[in-house]
Amino acid sequence: MKKTIFGFAAMLSVLALAACGGGSTDSSGSKSAENNEQKNLSFPIATKNDGDAIKDGELEAAVATDSQFKGLFQWEFYQDAFDRAFMEPSHEPLFSNDDSFKITDDGAATLDLDQETKKATIKVKDNVKWSDGKDVTADDVIFPYEIIGHKDYTGIRYDDTFRNIVGMEEYHDGSADTISGIKKVDDKTVEIEYKDVNPSMLQSGGGIWTYAAPKHTLEGVAIKDMESSDQVRKNPVTFGPYYMSNIVAGESVEYLPNEYYWRGTPKLKKITMKSVPTASATEALNSKLYDMIFQMPTDTYDTYKDISGYTNLGREQTSYTYIGFKLGKWDKETKSVEYNPDSKMGDKSLRQAMGYALNNDAVGERFYAGLRSNATSLIPPVFEAYHDGDMKGYTEDLDKAKKLLDDAGYKDVDDDGLREDKDGNKLTINFASMSGGETAQPLADYYIQQWKKIGLDVKYTTGRLIEFNSFYDKLENDDPEIDVYQAAWSTGTDPNPIGLWGPNAAFNYTRFESDENTELINDINSSKAFDEEYQKEAYKKWQEYAFEEAFAIPTLFRNEVLPVNDRVKDWNWSYDEPNPWANVSVTADSRS
């Protein structure tokens, strides 16, 4: 999830939740924390319904959101978890993955990575077709690279993973008409040559683009116009179990079965998915309006945990909430971070102090019914092989926070209880956070209150909380009125930090960059990291560096809950389930 930016996040993006490492595994596959006071909550990961599926059943789902979805229904352009949620029934990746998010041969295509030649071979299976009956071909596998790599591309995914392809930079700058490192072997097979190969290329959603694009419907559209085209927003052609048959912009999507679906005929006659305001989500369940509601607010879990007729599924998220510090700008010409060490938040002691002012375990208990807990690292614990379970992260220590500020020269010169900057001038820090749900305002107020306790004058950017889409517009455009912000990030299925914290990542909203940060990230992406112990150590070193520099302070690891009506059959929410929409059905005409 942006990658995947994700509901309350980039991305809470872009997806698809949390405790500290080292705990036991419960039935949801999530770990219970051993080093804090988090509640021991356990959820099933799949429905249990022994009834017979009815013929021509219809399912009604919703996404809890306080913003209209953007409707960028194409993998190359979507940016947040809301669009992603609406894409799930109809859009499918090329690859499947196991429970460690490693690519398997069970998807629509297979992947072979040759470390010696630095080449990846992608082969589409013979029976995979688009929803209009056309075969998914090698041209469709190549086309996303031609879209994202093009100089007129309007999305945000052209980063180091694409620059790593031989010939991509020449294609991007216009000195070549084709990408020399990408070769069509036959109608179903593509070979891609890379400058370097790394273990993320074996990870779903990692260093190799995971999706195909229907060239036969999109190639007549100028790339600069593609994002706003009908082929993306109104009638996308896909190869998932359903296709989008009717889109009401920002409100709802209707889906009909894809008769050409490569795994077999889906079970439902129709699916309808709508947006529902977070404040109305619980009442919608009480009124039996939907079979399931995605992205249910965890801050109101106590209001829907016992609703009759529903079972709550749960899982550890691949995302986390964080406090980010604006430390520079995005250079649109070079498509890279322009870090400014002299920015207002440029002193890491100031950033660290703001981290030590917060009690995030208490936040998880008070605001999120124990479904969130103190985040200790920028790698979520769902990625067991990479998360550093020994890190304690930032925990409340007001004395330590004050000493950091004192030693760095942030003193209260005029005895008004608020610190001035190092030059004795008034210091006001502008804080941006999103509106939405019952918790957003009291949580943001708590942060400001805690920062005041250590002598920092923090005020809201715009004077109030900011609507989701406006919030990200301001972040992406480096609004000078933002010094600090609260957001969240969904890593998707690859925890590699290059896509969020690398020097060429548009999602690096902090705009932090350093030689050491780049070197450590490059180490994670080196061929040496094919050795599992080396890779684990490389992740550990980067996590320790990120903690010390505090360009972003992780605040909450997350669990997500999905209420599912008891008439729903064969829904499996596991991360290694190839596609839950392919098998889901209902066993009654109506919800009870």
Side-chain angles (χ1 to χ4, degrees):
M1 244 226 151
K2 272 146 164 162
K3 242 168 190 174
T4 304
I5 287 176
F6 175 62
F8 144 3
M11 324 234 120
L12 240 183
S13 149
V14 135
L15 348 122
L17 274 187
C20 299
S24 59
T25 301
D26 62 30
S27 61
S28 71
S30 61
K31 300 184 205 68
S32 58
E34 290 181 334
N35 59 349
N36 61 35
E37 299 299 320
Q38 186 184 14
K39 293 178 183 176
N40 184 18
L41 297 172
S42 180
F43 298 92
I45 194 65
T47 57
K48 292 181 180 179
N49 183 345
D50 296 327
D52 295 328
I54 63 171
K55 183 178 174 59
D56 294 334
E58 297 185 12
L59 185 146
E60 294 170 294
V63 179
T65 168
D66 293 312
S67 299
Q68 290 193 332
F69 61 77
K70 292 181 179 178
L72 296 175
F73 297 135
Q74 186 69 34
W75 294 116
E76 293 72 28
F77 295 101
Y78 94 95
Q79 295 185 21
D80 60 55
F82 300 136
D83 279 359
R84 172 83 186 220
F86 281 95
M87 291 165 67
E88 294 286 356
S90 52
H91 293 60
E92 189 165 290
L94 288 169
F95 308 122
S96 289
N97 59 268
D98 62 18
D99 58 4
S100 296
F101 305 103
K102 299 291 186 184
I103 291 172
T104 70
D105 290 338
D106 300 327
T110 59
L111 171 69
D112 179 66
L113 183 65
D114 189 322
Q115 296 179 39
E116 297 298 320
T117 62
K118 300 181 181 179
K119 292 180 179 179
T121 302
I122 300 170
K123 187 172 182 62
V124 181
K125 294 177 180 177
D126 289 336
N127 59 331
V128 182
K129 296 179 180 294
W130 295 106
S131 53
D132 62 1
K134 303 288 186 181
D135 281 348
V136 177
T137 67
D139 289 333
D140 300 321
V141 174
I142 295 170
F143 198 42
Y145 296 92
E146 296 174 338
I147 294 171
I148 294 173
H150 198 276
K151 62 181 177 58
D152 293 336
Y153 171 62
T154 56
I156 50 180
R157 287 185 169 79
Y158 182 71
D159 58 14
D160 286 341
T161 61
F162 286 91
R163 292 183 178 91
N164 188 34
I165 298 168
V166 171
M168 178 60 82
E169 292 187 275
E170 291 80 1
Y171 172 76
H172 180 73
D173 66 24
S175 60
D177 293 330
T178 58
I179 305 165
S180 61
I182 300 181
K183 176 184 176 184
K184 178 180 175 181
V185 178
D186 58 41
D187 285 344
K188 292 286 185 176
T189 310
V190 175
E191 181 183 271
I192 305 175
E193 183 179 359
Y194 293 88
K195 299 171 185 175
D196 294 292
V197 293
N198 64 76
S200 270
M201 293 178 167
L202 299 175
Q203 200 85 3
S204 177
I208 295 176
W209 188 247
T210 312
Y211 311 101
K215 186 172 182 178
H216 65 286
T217 67
L218 290 167
E219 64 179 335
V221 182
I223 288 174
K224 66 180 176 62
D225 301 324
M226 202 170 281
E227 182 176 313
S228 59
S229 69
D230 287 354
Q231 288 90 329
V232 169
R233 292 182 175 270
K234 292 185 178 180
N235 47 15
V237 171
T238 59
F239 64 84
Y242 296 86
Y243 69 94
M244 293 177 163
S245 55
N246 185 40
I247 299 169
V248 179
E251 296 180 13
S252 66
V253 178
E254 180 185 271
Y255 311 80
L256 295 178
N258 174 10
E259 63 179 299
Y260 305 104
Y261 183 53
W262 68 281
R263 295 185 196 269
T265 305
K267 308 288 181 61
L268 296 166
K269 178 183 178 181
K270 185 172 74 171
I271 298 169
T272 304
M273 192 178 294
K274 297 180 179 179
S275 294
V276 59
T278 55
S280 306
T282 294
E283 181 52 40
L285 292 173
N286 278 316
S287 300
K288 305 294 190 291
L289 296 181
Y290 302 105
D291 291 293
M292 54 181 75
I293 300 183
F294 295 92
Q295 299 184 25
M296 279 295 290
T298 49
D299 55 351
T300 57
Y301 171 68
D302 287 338
T303 69
Y304 61 84
K305 65 180 181 180
D306 296 320
I307 296 177
S308 64
Y310 288 86
T311 298
N312 288 311
L313 308 185
R315 65 183 182 183
E316 202 171 35
Q317 270 185 306
T318 61
S319 56
Y320 55 88
T321 313
Y322 70 97
I323 297 292
F325 300 91
K326 273 293 187 181
L327 302 169
K329 297 181 179 180
W330 178 251
D331 189 322
K332 294 182 180 179
E333 293 299 317
T334 62
K335 290 184 169 60
S336 62
V337 166
E338 189 177 288
Y339 170 56
N340 175 16
D342 298 321
S343 58
K344 185 189 293 185
M345 309 307 297
D347 190 322
K348 69 180 180 182
S349 293
L350 173 59
R351 305 193 296 267
Q352 290 173 348
M354 294 181 74
Y356 283 118
L358 308 176
N359 186 334
N360 291 305
D361 274 327
V363 167
E365 285 295 331
R366 178 178 175 184
F367 293 111
Y368 298 104
L371 290 167
R372 297 185 185 179
S373 62
N374 183 52
T376 57
S377 159
L378 292 175
I379 303 295
V382 67
F383 299 103
E384 295 184 59
Y386 312 117
H387 170 73
D388 185 350
D390 295 328
M391 292 185 67
K392 290 185 169 54
Y394 287 88
T395 55
E396 185 180 27
D397 189 334
L398 299 183
D399 290 338
K400 187 171 186 175
K402 291 174 183 177
K403 187 175 188 308
L404 280 165
L405 293 172
D406 288 341
D407 292 347
Y410 295 93
K411 303 289 181 63
D412 180 6
V413 176
D414 55 11
D415 294 325
D416 65 348
L418 298 173
R419 297 173 187 268
E420 278 67 42
D421 67 18
K422 297 178 184 181
D423 297 321
N425 300 315
K426 181 175 175 59
L427 175 64
T428 300
I429 297 171
N430 297 306
F431 174 51
S433 192
M434 279 171 279
S435 60
E438 297 181 8
T439 294
Q441 189 68 61
L443 177 56
D445 288 345
Y446 165 74
Y447 285 154
I448 287 179
Q449 165 198 303
Q450 290 300 104
W451 289 327
K452 187 174 182 179
K453 285 183 179 179
I454 60 173
L456 295 177
D457 182 23
V458 181
K459 298 186 182 301
Y460 287 118
T461 298
T462 74
R464 61 184 64 83
L465 299 185
I466 305 169
E467 184 271 335
F468 175 83
N469 290 317
S470 298
F471 174 86
Y472 277 107
D473 284 343
K474 288 179 178 294
L475 270 192
E476 291 167 11
N477 292 297
D478 300 317
D479 189 318
E481 293 303 309
I482 297 179
D483 300 317
V484 183
Y485 62 93
Q486 178 187 213
W489 174 253
S490 175
T491 65
T493 49
D494 179 20
N496 194 318
I498 195 170
L500 178 59
W501 306 117
N504 299 311
F507 289 130
N508 184 350
Y509 293 136
T510 67
R511 312 312 187 199
F512 174 81
E513 177 270 332
S514 74
D515 290 344
E516 186 172 357
N517 188 56
T518 300
E519 182 180 340
L520 289 169
I521 291 176
N522 286 344
D523 211 24
I524 290 171
N525 288 284
S526 70
S527 58
K528 295 178 183 178
F530 280 105
D531 179 276
E532 290 185 6
E533 287 304 312
Y534 186 95
Q535 184 187 36
K536 186 173 183 177
E537 184 63 21
Y539 268 98
K540 179 181 175 67
K541 289 179 179 177
W542 179 78
Q543 288 171 81
E544 291 173 346
Y545 174 79
F547 168 78
E548 172 65 23
E549 290 300 319
F551 47 84
I553 293 177
T555 53
L556 294 168
F557 288 142
R558 312 156 66 89
N559 291 279
E560 60 181 339
V561 177
L562 175 64
V564 180
N565 190 265
D566 291 341
R567 76 170 183 143
V568 175
K569 180 181 176 68
D570 292 331
W571 175 269
N572 187 331
W573 211 27
S574 301
Y575 285 117
D576 58 345
E577 174 70 14
N579 192 328
W581 293 102
N583 299 311
V584 68
S585 60
V586 293
T587 57
D589 286 318
S590 61
R591 290 171 290 277
S592 59

